[in-house]
Amino acid sequence: MIVVTDASPLHYLVLVGEQHLLEQHYGNVVCPHAVLDECAHLHAPEKLRLWAAKPPAWRHVVRDSPSQLSGLDQLDPGEKAAIETARTLGASILLMDEKKGRLAAEAHGFAVVGVLGILVTAAKRGLVDFEEVMARLTQQTNFLISEALIQYARTTLRNPVT
């Protein structure tokens, strides 16, 4: 399974110290160079910049793929690169949170998972306390999520589909 990430899942998971969940869920994660550039940018949080400078073994940085897909003009460089890299590599999953990027990726047929989905899966596997991590995420970062989505995640955790 090939998994490609945009910057936002890396950003928020690193800030709350849960980046290891990516390796636990997916093994290896492909990170386009433009995404790494966003993580290492001067305006990125210091914790994220330090993480970007010292790559874990499971993060594989690749050269950005050339743009061939339509409808990506309004996305930031990292989102474009993640979607194009997913196309080039035939990725199974694209990790992304921003609505415009998710919609564009889904329009091109990609399965998209965001931070909330990663945390729900981790909670189902007993790897994290969902409420505790969500509290850190919403209190210690600028992560924006609707209460309706959080409630949906809680319902999913209480009533797992078998």
Side-chain angles (χ1 to χ4, degrees):
M1 166 173 58
I2 298 173
V3 178
V4 176
T5 191
D6 179 35
S8 60
L10 297 172
H11 177 113
Y12 292 110
L13 292 173
V14 166
L15 290 184
V16 296
E18 300 293 343
Q19 65 275 10
H20 62 278
L21 295 175
L22 295 174
E23 179 183 26
Q24 290 175 321
H25 288 342
Y26 306 114
N28 296 307
V29 177
V30 176
C31 178
H33 202 275
V35 169
L36 184 61
D37 287 347
E38 287 181 13
C39 293
H41 192 275
L42 180 61
H43 297 301
E46 181 180 14
K47 190 172 183 180
L48 182 61
R49 290 193 319 265
L50 292 171
W51 179 85
K54 188 175 180 190
W58 53 264
R59 185 190 77 195
H60 300 282
V61 178
V62 297
R63 189 175 316 161
D64 296 348
S65 297
S67 183
Q68 293 184 3
L69 296 175
S70 62
L72 305 182
D73 296 337
Q74 300 207 9
L75 303 180
D76 72 36
E79 291 166 342
K80 286 182 199 176
I83 293 170
E84 289 289 358
T85 299
R87 175 197 55 81
T88 300
L89 298 178
S92 305
I93 297 173
L94 184 55
L95 304 177
M96 186 175 289
D97 283 301
E98 291 84 1
K99 187 175 184 176
K100 278 197 273 187
R102 290 177 69 97
L103 291 174
E106 289 167 352
H108 287 287
F110 295 106
V112 182
V113 178
V115 170
L116 186 63
I118 294 165
L119 294 178
V120 166
T121 301
K124 285 180 180 179
R125 293 177 59 199
L127 300 173
V128 297
D129 177 313
F130 179 79
E131 296 299 333
E132 188 271 330
V133 175
M134 281 305 299
R136 282 189 283 134
L137 189 61
T138 57
Q139 294 168 10
Q140 298 174 10
T141 74
N142 64 352
F143 186 74
L144 299 175
I145 188 166
S146 71
E147 187 59 34
L149 279 177
I150 295 172
Q151 288 300 338
Y152 178 77
R154 289 177 178 138
T155 300
T156 301
L157 289 169
R158 283 192 300 269
N159 305 310
V161 177
T162 55

